[in-house]
Amino acid sequence: MPTLDLTIDTIKSNLEHAQLAGYIYQYNPHLLVLQEDLNEDGSVLNNFVQHGLTADQIGLQFGLRLLDNKFDFLIGATHSNQDRSYEIGARNLKADQKAFNLLYAFYNYPKAFYLIILPLAANSAQFKEAMESQLFNQPKLDFLNTALKTNPMGQQFNWMKSFIVQQALDMKVRMQTCLN
C-alpha cells in the first residue's frame, strides 16, 4: 500500500470521496472511524447482526489507522443482549477503543467490546485468521457457534460469523481500493 505522501487529512478526504460513510470521525492524529457506514450504492450498511434464539447482538464499526507509514484496518465489535444483570459502560473502553464509543452508546446492555486490528494489506486468509483469533475465539461469544442456517444445497453454515466476516472484508477491500 502506498503511504509515503499521505496525511491523515488526505486519507480522510479519500474515504469521504469514496462515500464509505455518512461521516468520518477523526479520533486522534492517526485514527479515523467510519460513522453511518454506507454500501457501494449509497444505502446504509447493516452493521448489526442478532442471534435468533438468544437475542445476542454484534455490532460492527470500521476504522483506519495510519501509524509509522503503515495502514491498519480496525474493526470495533460490540456484543450486547437483553440481560440487564451485567452491563459495561463506555467508560470501560481503553485507548483506541474509545474511538468506537459512538456505536457502543447505541447498544442495549452492552457486555463487551472487541477491537480487531490487522494490516490493511492483509490477504483473505490472514483476515479470516485475525477474525478467528481476535474475535471468534472469545469465550463470551460462544453463542456465535449456534447460529446455524441451511443453504440451498442442504449444508449447514454459521450465518452470523459469515455475515460478520463478509461485511468487514467488504469494507476492508473498499478502503484499500480508495487509497490505491
Side-chain angles (χ1 to χ4, degrees), residues 46-136:
N46 177 15
N47 57 353
F48 294 96
V49 62
Q50 181 172 320
H51 194 290
L53 300 175
T54 67
D56 284 277
Q57 297 177 342
I58 299 290
L60 302 173
Q61 193 171 17
F62 307 106
L64 185 68
R65 179 171 50 205
L66 175 62
L67 198 55
D68 298 327
N69 235 11
K70 295 178 189 169
F71 286 113
D72 285 327
F73 179 65
L74 285 73
I75 305 163
T78 304
H79 169 224
S80 71
N81 60 33
Q82 296 301 310
D83 179 4
R84 295 175 188 236
S85 64
Y86 172 66
E87 178 179 12
I88 60 172
R91 68 189 172 283
N92 292 320
L93 300 178
K94 306 292 182 223
D96 285 347
Q97 290 181 348
K98 290 181 180 184
F100 295 86
N101 68 355
L102 295 176
L103 176 70
Y104 192 86
F106 287 113
Y107 263 88
N108 292 324
Y109 314 113
K111 306 299 183 239
F113 180 85
Y114 304 95
L115 186 59
I116 299 92
I117 303 169
L118 64 148
L120 185 61
N123 64 32
S124 303
Q126 292 166 325
F127 179 84
K128 289 179 182 176
E129 169 56 33
M131 293 296 287
E132 191 64 39
S133 65
Q134 295 181 47
L135 183 65
F136 298 144

